[in-house]
Amino acid sequence: MNKKDIEVMAPAGSFESLMAAIQGGANSVYFGIEQLNMRARSANNFVFDDLEKIAEICGKEGVRTYLTLNTIIYDHDLSLMKRIINRAQEAGITAVIASDQAVINYASSIGFEVHISTQTNITNLETIKFFAHFADVMVLARELSLKQVKDITDGIVKDDVRGPSGELVQIEIFAHGALCMAVSGKCYLSLHTNNSSANRGACVQNCRRTYEVKDEDGNELLIDNEYIMSPKDLCTIGFIDDIIKSGVRVLKIEGRGRAPEYVKTVTQCYREAVDAYIDGTYTKEKIAAWDQKLATVYNRGFWDGYYLGQQLGEWSDVHGSKATTRKRYLGKGVHYYPKAGIAEFKLETHSLKVGDKILVTGPTTGVVEAEIKELMVDEVLYQEIKKGVTFTTPLDTTIRSSDKLYIVEDVDAPTQ
């Protein structure tokens, strides 16, 4: 086995996140455009005219591109669905991730590569055989244990189950990110309470809120301060070895609605973990370091999901993120002087001092992380500067005028 045998797939909800995924070492990215994807509401989706640019950027880096078109499809959606798939194929997008049979059938009929989404709830070998008529890659239901996953991958080899390409079907699983209380994401809570269907990409995540639970007699049930419908985030980096041994070949990171620094950090950690396993350097010390790094970006706390078969009920105990760091907006990029390796910024808010950690994000820049070594205003060095000034600082990476500047702090640090 070599490093190319295991694919790390990263989410992209914007060009910033797309570049961050590439910087993190992703082998592939998945994204949605406008409508008909499961993050149509929560992510900053791309538009039709972005498809060629996405294909061009990723093509230069050898990164595969997957368009998510995995919502429920109604008759009035069919013409739009076909238009999206046709445009994606013409643009050079690698494949479509689909769950509705209309999408699967149409994409397959025009020779566009299909990946089967987790929304189809694949839980057994016979279902793999059925979808093998259409797809080479399939995402299993999130509720399976690793033993069940291995039974399926062993069955694919034993029964020689091949997809349209003639190759053995590859299995993909979710490796990291948000989990849903519903089976493979099929939930109607948002529809019933807000007339906003999760199965149409418009979930309002009202399951993440605080609830009081009472029985018919009005007796309140003790929930131990947990958010009873909001699971902790999935994190499998501590047993990547077992996942690879189970026959999984594609590791999917959830998070198309997440910030670019989340995408880069998580992708980088999982790419490093996979490479370490293949190199024979996958150790407890490295796992601990990855765990610490993953905790710095958005998360609701971590658990192993259903893969290791533990008792269920790993609910989050907070609303929102438990990240150990936070970012605060400071200003925007002004100019970059490549010969000197100097970046110029306008500080629009707060203050900045030598030793502070900064984050720069942009559609072309992706994510740049650095520590302030020097601050200069009008050729005068300062230890600290206040909002309203334009300053320069040494930076190894090119920044652009559209880039945003943030300061990164520990969550327990006092705000300025």
Side-chain angles (χ1 to χ4, degrees), residues 257-402:
R258 299 281 174 254
E261 65 271 16
Y262 170 94
V263 175
K264 181 180 179 181
T265 297
V266 178
T267 302
Q268 197 169 52
C269 286
Y270 278 86
R271 184 69 262 170
E272 289 175 0
V274 169
D275 293 350
Y277 169 75
I278 294 172
D279 291 340
T281 60
Y282 181 76
T283 63
K284 291 182 179 179
E285 291 76 18
K286 285 188 175 181
I287 293 171
W290 291 319
D291 282 338
Q292 187 174 16
K293 191 171 183 180
L294 290 169
T296 64
V297 292
Y298 190 101
N299 71 87
R300 298 182 181 91
F302 295 125
W303 72 304
D304 300 332
Y306 305 92
Y307 294 130
L308 301 184
Q310 298 101 320
Q311 182 177 351
L312 305 184
E314 291 283 347
W315 307 112
S316 179
D317 57 0
V318 297
H319 178 71
S321 178
K322 297 183 73 171
T324 58
T325 64
R326 61 171 178 241
K327 68 176 183 182
R328 288 192 294 123
Y329 177 75
L330 292 180
K332 294 180 180 178
V334 175
H335 189 70
Y336 188 75
Y337 302 92
K339 290 184 178 179
I342 297 294
E344 185 176 17
F345 296 94
K346 175 67 179 292
L347 193 65
E348 298 177 349
T349 184
H350 302 297
S351 62
L352 187 65
K353 63 181 182 296
V354 173
D356 283 342
K357 295 178 181 179
I358 61 168
L359 180 74
V360 183
T361 67
T364 303
T365 304
V367 174
V368 177
E369 300 165 282
E371 180 179 321
I372 294 293
K373 302 292 186 183
E374 182 181 287
L375 290 168
M376 182 174 287
V377 180
D378 296 330
E379 299 184 358
V380 178
L381 289 172
Y382 287 83
Q383 284 297 114
E384 183 174 5
I385 56 174
K386 304 293 184 181
K387 67 178 181 180
V389 304
T390 298
F391 69 95
T392 58
T393 188
L395 199 64
D396 293 335
T397 306
T398 301
I399 63 100
R400 295 157 181 88
S401 58
S402 60

Side-chain angles (χ1 to χ4, degrees), residues 145-164:
S145 69
L146 280 185
K147 181 184 183 303
Q148 291 171 312
V149 172
K150 191 173 190 309
D151 288 342
I152 290 173
T153 59
D154 286 347
I156 290 171
V157 175
K158 179 176 179 291
D159 294 352
D160 196 34
V161 183
R162 297 178 182 271

Side-chain angles (χ1 to χ4, degrees), residues 7-215:
E7 179 176 331
V8 175
M9 184 194 304
S14 65
F15 278 110
E16 288 90 340
S17 293
L18 177 68
M19 296 305 298
I22 293 171
Q23 291 169 341
N27 303 102
S28 60
V29 295
Y30 67 102
F31 60 94
I33 62 166
E34 300 181 21
Q35 305 172 48
L36 305 184
N37 72 89
M38 294 300 284
R39 291 295 182 271
R41 180 180 183 128
S42 62
N44 298 318
N45 291 287
F46 297 100
V47 298
F48 272 100
D49 291 340
D50 291 329
L51 286 170
E52 286 81 6
K53 185 176 179 181
I54 293 169
E56 180 184 3
I57 291 171
C58 293
K60 290 178 180 177
E61 301 293 336
V63 173
R64 292 181 285 277
T65 51
Y66 305 139
L67 170 68
T68 58
L69 212 165
N70 54 351
T71 63
I72 291 173
I73 302 294
Y74 295 107
D75 278 330
H76 67 264
D77 298 317
L78 291 175
S79 61
L80 175 60
M81 176 270 288
K82 293 177 181 180
R83 181 181 165 218
I84 292 173
I85 290 177
N86 290 341
R87 182 68 180 272
Q89 186 181 44
E90 292 168 3
I93 300 302
T94 307
V96 61
I97 301 174
S99 60
D100 193 289
Q101 287 83 353
V103 183
I104 295 168
N105 185 60
Y106 180 71
S108 178
S109 72
I110 65 170
F112 191 34
E113 185 177 329
V114 177
H115 295 185
I116 304 299
S117 169
T118 190
Q119 267 72 36
T120 56
N121 196 34
I122 296 176
T123 57
N124 60 74
L125 181 61
E126 291 304 313
T127 305
I128 295 284
K129 292 178 180 179
F130 173 80
F131 282 115
H133 297 288
F134 305 96
D136 291 290
V137 179
M138 304 183 199
V139 190
L140 296 184
R142 303 175 192 179
E143 294 74 31
L144 296 179
S145 69
L146 280 185
K147 181 184 183 303
Q148 291 171 312
V149 172
K150 191 173 190 309
D151 288 342
I152 290 173
T153 59
D154 286 347
I156 290 171
V157 175
K158 179 176 179 291
D159 294 352
D160 196 34
V161 183
R162 297 178 182 271
S165 70
E167 299 294 327
L168 288 173
V169 168
Q170 288 193 334
I171 292 303
E172 173 183 327
I173 67 167
F174 278 85
H176 192 92
L179 286 174
C180 180
M181 67 168 186
V183 174
S184 288
K186 292 183 175 67
C187 179
Y188 285 91
L189 181 63
S190 179
L191 178 64
H192 287 313
T193 58
N194 293 75
N195 195 31
S196 187
S197 175
N199 299 292
R200 296 280 286 172
C203 181
V204 298
Q205 295 197 345
N206 45 347
C207 58
R208 305 289 185 185
R209 300 173 185 170
T210 306
Y211 288 90
E212 292 181 1
V213 181
K214 296 182 180 181
D215 63 19

